[in-house]
Amino acid sequence: MKTQNTFSVSFFLKKDKEKNGVAPLYVRITVNGGHADLATKRKMPVGKWDQKSQSMSGKTAEDNLTRDEIRLLGIEISSAYEELRRDRGELTAEAVKAKVEGTEIAPYTLMFLIDYHNEELKQLLEEGTMKNYRTTKRYLTEFLITKWKKKDILLKHVDNLFITNFGLFLSNRKPDKGQRPCSNNSVMKHMERLKKMIGIALENKWIRENPFQHFKRKMITKDRNCLDTYELDRLRNLELRKIGVGTVRDMFLFACLTGLSPCDITRFNKDHITKDVNGEYWIEMYRQKTKRFTERKFNVLLLPEALEIISRYKRNPAALANGTVFPYYTNQILNRYPPI
């Protein structure tokens, strides 16, 4: 059932401010029972004003000009109301008054929230994480253009239906060249980022309700099988024709032997290697994803096989140029094997 809005405009003289038979003219804006008074910055003789017709008598050029100004102001107020109603803005008398006066506060939008988040947290989050947030923004922009025919919307219009439809859009979206379609868990990663940003809006009271409150879609837990000794031996002894694929194999084995994540392996360098009093070598470094939130390093003993893998790349030109133990490959290349 649609709500019927009420709106009216009424001009009147402020007779309590009358002086020498002249009083200031005001206009009362009424929306859904609430009202706000706006000064027209015009004064007129009380005797010339007819409240019933909301007009003034007189045939002078100044009288005609005043009547035109009153008529145009009434049109401007009505236009402001219609614009707020069309854009589904805040429909109150004060909002209409502010729009006419040009003192309205710009409403918070989805893109404003995303840009605010990215700007405020860019010093705390790693570039890889920021890249993911930029991707989420790009997908949201595509969704808005496709479904809403606009590039931005007010935050208060981001509701459960919006979020659900965004998830469906991601699931059905044609992937970019070289990428795979969004799986359920990929969709949920974008949802997690959007939910985090919505949390900022809630904390700052830019919105009143949490649109994720009734969102039901969840991550699908997958079983992750561990490689056994036989499988690792097969991987070690596998003959590979491409040098790059062999490098990825070595980096994977190194990860198995040390527990380092791919992003930590790609930045791993000789300065991260220490030697204890017993002559054993250790990795000592910060985790890439948490180094800005903790001052605690982790230490991993380098087993003989791990040291042997490191020795293979002492003279690798790409590694030397990058100042790391291994040549640098992006996560996408690591996942599909680098073309060499």
Side-chain angles (χ1 to χ4, degrees), residues 206-251:
W206 296 341
I207 53 175
R208 297 177 181 177
E209 297 181 0
N210 183 1
F212 279 92
Q213 184 176 357
H214 302 293
F215 185 68
K216 301 297 183 183
R217 194 165 177 174
K218 298 182 181 297
M219 282 277 195
I220 297 175
T221 304
K222 296 182 178 180
D223 291 330
R224 297 184 181 274
N225 297 324
C226 298
L227 296 179
D228 57 29
T229 304
Y230 171 73
E231 290 170 324
L232 281 174
D233 285 338
R234 286 188 62 192
L235 185 60
R236 289 188 186 98
N237 300 323
L238 185 65
E239 292 187 9
L240 300 170
R241 295 182 180 180
K242 289 187 176 181
I243 297 175
V245 178
T247 300
V248 172
R249 186 262 310 275
D250 289 345
M251 294 171 73

Side-chain angles (χ1 to χ4, degrees), residues 302-320:
L302 282 167
L303 299 174
E305 184 179 354
L307 289 169
E308 193 276 327
I309 292 175
I310 291 174
S311 67
R312 296 178 200 169
Y313 294 90
K314 284 184 177 180
R315 295 181 177 83
N316 183 280
L320 290 172

Side-chain angles (χ1 to χ4, degrees), residues 112-125 130 200 204 206:
F112 168 84
L113 171 63
I114 296 173
D115 291 339
Y116 174 86
H117 168 274
N118 292 352
E119 182 64 26
E120 289 295 311
L121 297 183
K122 67 180 181 181
Q123 300 300 326
L124 294 176
L125 301 178
M130 290 304 304
I200 293 176
N204 286 287
W206 296 341

Side-chain angles (χ1 to χ4, degrees), residues 148-181:
W148 288 63
K149 309 303 179 186
K150 56 177 66 176
K151 294 183 179 180
D152 201 1
I153 60 169
L154 297 177
L155 269 179
K156 66 180 183 179
H157 296 154
V158 179
D159 52 17
N160 183 264
L161 180 60
F162 177 95
I163 294 168
T164 301
N165 287 337
F166 178 52
L168 293 173
F169 169 80
L170 291 175
S171 297
N172 298 320
R173 179 182 179 275
K174 184 179 179 181
D176 298 332
K177 185 177 181 181
Q179 294 186 346
R180 293 173 293 182

Side-chain angles (χ1 to χ4, degrees), residues 53-66:
S53 64
Q54 293 193 42
S55 183
M56 66 175 295
S57 59
K59 297 181 180 180
T60 66
E62 185 177 354
D63 293 336
N64 291 332
L65 178 61
T66 300

